[in-house]
């Protein structure tokens, strides 16, 4: 969610009970604006926080002119001092998926090879690498996993230019209430997968400038999203049951939307058996 509108955005997404104290909101609002200035980001989003056993990681993302380009990610323990995280790699994501259990809250903490798949540990030994994963790498990979799986935007909020870059749509005035209650009105803000498998006939009705992402209606497993009306029916809220703690909000007929994550950074692997 946008750093500039953080207090109001957190109120709109607070229906699930998670949130920040007034003191943390005030400190965060000021520090994110300084972060944007110091790193020369075009926009800064407050991504959320991951609760560890001994501490909390507050996460921010910095964006450039092309909104689809890789984002810079930073974390903080006190919402004042921020540290830049390394870019996520496919190897990081694959290794982090092997880990189970809570985050410790210490980026230098190392997960022993006993907690990693035996085949992966053997391969690492052969490559001359130590079979250990630092929590910092796991943090980066988990943020990337969550963004790929449940980082969403409303249809029409971004447009793809003829040159391939993705920009904010200045003409976007929000979804109607009827459209806002449909999963097909929301897109995953990541590289599309299902769209590439559609036939030419299915793509005929799509607008290439706005329908260039995968919609939520075909997410697997079916039923992994809840759609609710809150604040007297004026706010549409989507919550992920796959990554518990991810909340997306949109005020119909306005430009107000965003998502935030408050959780432990653990995927709900039991979801298929709960539906």
């Amino acid at each position: 969610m946008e750093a500039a509108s953080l207090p109001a955005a957190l109120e709109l997404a607070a229906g699930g009970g998670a949130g920040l104290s007034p003191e943390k909101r005030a400190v965060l609002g000021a520090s994110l604006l300084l972060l944007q200035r110091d790193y020369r980001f075009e926009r800064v989003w407050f991504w959320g926080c991951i609760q560890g056993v001994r501490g909390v990681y507050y996460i921010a993302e910095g964006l450039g002119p092309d909104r689809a380009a890789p984002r810079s990610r930073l974390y903080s323990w006190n919402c004042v001092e921020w540290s830049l995280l390394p870019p996520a790699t496919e190897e990081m994501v694959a290794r982090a998926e092997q880990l189970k259990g809570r985050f410790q809250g210490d980026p230098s903490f190392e997960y022993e090879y006993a907690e990693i798949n035996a085949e992966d540990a053997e391969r690492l030994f052969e490559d001359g690498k130590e079979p250990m994963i630092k929590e910092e790498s796991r943090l980066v990979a988990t943020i990337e996993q969550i963004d790929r799986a449940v980082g969403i935007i409303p249809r029409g909020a971004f447009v793809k230019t003829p040159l391939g870059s993705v920009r904010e749509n200045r003409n976007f005035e929000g979804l109607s209430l009827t459209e806002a209650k449909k999963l097909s009105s929301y897109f995953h803000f990541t590289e599309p997968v299902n769209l590439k498998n559609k036939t030419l006939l299915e793509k005929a009705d799509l607008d290439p400038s706005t329908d260039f992402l995968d919609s939520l209606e075909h997410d697997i497993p079916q039923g992994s999203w809840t759609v609710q009306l809150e604040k007297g029916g004026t706010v549409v809220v989507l919550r992920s049951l796959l990554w518990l703690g991810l909340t997306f909000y949109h005020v119909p007929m306005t430009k107000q939307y965003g998502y935030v994550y408050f959780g432990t950074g653990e995927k709900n692997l039991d979801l298929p058996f709960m539906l």
Side-chain angles (χ1 to χ4, degrees):
M1 52 179 61
E2 287 280 356
S5 57
L6 189 62
L10 286 171
E11 284 292 337
L12 294 173
L20 299 173
S21 66
E23 293 82 5
K24 276 280 186 285
R25 291 186 193 185
V27 171
L28 196 58
S31 70
L32 288 179
L33 294 177
L34 293 174
L35 193 68
Q36 182 176 350
R37 183 201 66 185
D38 294 344
Y39 283 86
R40 298 182 181 179
F41 295 135
E42 191 165 293
R43 289 289 177 88
V44 169
W45 287 354
F46 175 61
W47 184 87
C49 61
I50 292 178
Q51 179 74 51
V53 176
R54 298 194 293 268
V56 180
Y57 294 109
Y58 296 94
I59 313 297
E61 292 187 327
L63 291 82
D66 184 356
R67 297 294 191 260
R71 305 166 202 167
S72 298
R73 296 182 174 118
L74 305 97
Y75 74 91
S76 173
W77 288 303
N78 54 14
C79 297
V80 177
E81 299 170 334
W82 296 87
S83 301
L84 193 63
L85 288 166
T89 63
E90 291 302 325
E91 184 185 4
M92 276 185 190
V93 174
R95 292 176 67 187
E97 285 178 342
Q98 309 279 346
L99 298 174
K100 301 287 187 293
R102 294 279 303 275
F103 278 80
Q104 296 300 308
D106 176 9
S108 61
F109 178 82
E110 293 183 336
Y111 295 89
E112 298 290 342
Y113 68 89
E115 300 173 54
I116 305 172
N117 183 297
E119 292 180 6
D120 287 352
E122 186 176 348
R123 179 173 55 82
L124 288 170
F125 270 126
E126 291 173 356
D127 293 344
K129 299 178 182 177
E130 288 190 22
M132 289 187 175
I133 300 177
K134 283 196 173 182
E135 183 156 283
E136 183 180 70
S137 297
R138 186 189 179 191
L139 180 64
V140 172
T142 301
I143 296 170
E144 181 70 17
Q145 281 181 280
I146 294 174
D147 270 343
R148 288 181 188 177
V150 290
I152 60 177
I153 58 170
R155 181 181 184 272
F158 290 82
V159 293
K160 191 170 188 177
T161 67
L163 297 176
S165 62
V166 176
R167 310 280 176 166
E168 289 181 22
N169 186 0
R170 296 182 180 179
N171 298 320
F172 178 70
E173 295 296 338
L175 301 171
S176 66
L177 182 58
T178 304
E179 290 296 317
K181 291 187 285 186
K182 300 177 183 177
L183 282 179
S184 58
S185 298
Y186 301 96
F187 292 154
H188 288 282
F189 197 33
T190 186
E191 189 69 24
V193 177
N194 297 330
L195 187 66
K196 296 175 182 177
N197 299 326
K198 288 190 175 183
T199 64
L200 291 175
L201 190 61
E202 289 174 316
K203 291 181 180 179
D205 296 329
L206 301 180
D207 183 343
S209 65
T210 55
D211 300 319
F212 57 94
L213 299 169
D214 289 333
S215 72
L216 270 59
E217 62 180 331
H218 302 300
D219 278 15
I220 298 173
Q222 288 285 337
S224 61
W225 289 97
T226 66
V227 182
Q228 298 169 312
L229 290 175
E230 297 186 359
K231 307 287 184 183
T234 59
V235 183
V236 178
V237 175
L238 278 70
R239 293 189 174 89
S240 173
L241 301 180
L242 186 62
W243 288 94
L244 296 171
L246 190 288
T247 303
F248 172 89
Y249 74 92
H250 176 48
V251 181
M253 305 306 292
T254 74
K255 295 183 177 183
Q256 297 181 62
Y257 68 88
Y259 67 86
V260 67
Y261 179 81
F262 290 104
T264 59
E266 296 174 283
K267 192 175 184 178
N268 183 15
L269 299 175
D270 296 328
L271 179 61
F273 307 101
M274 298 166 65
L275 296 173

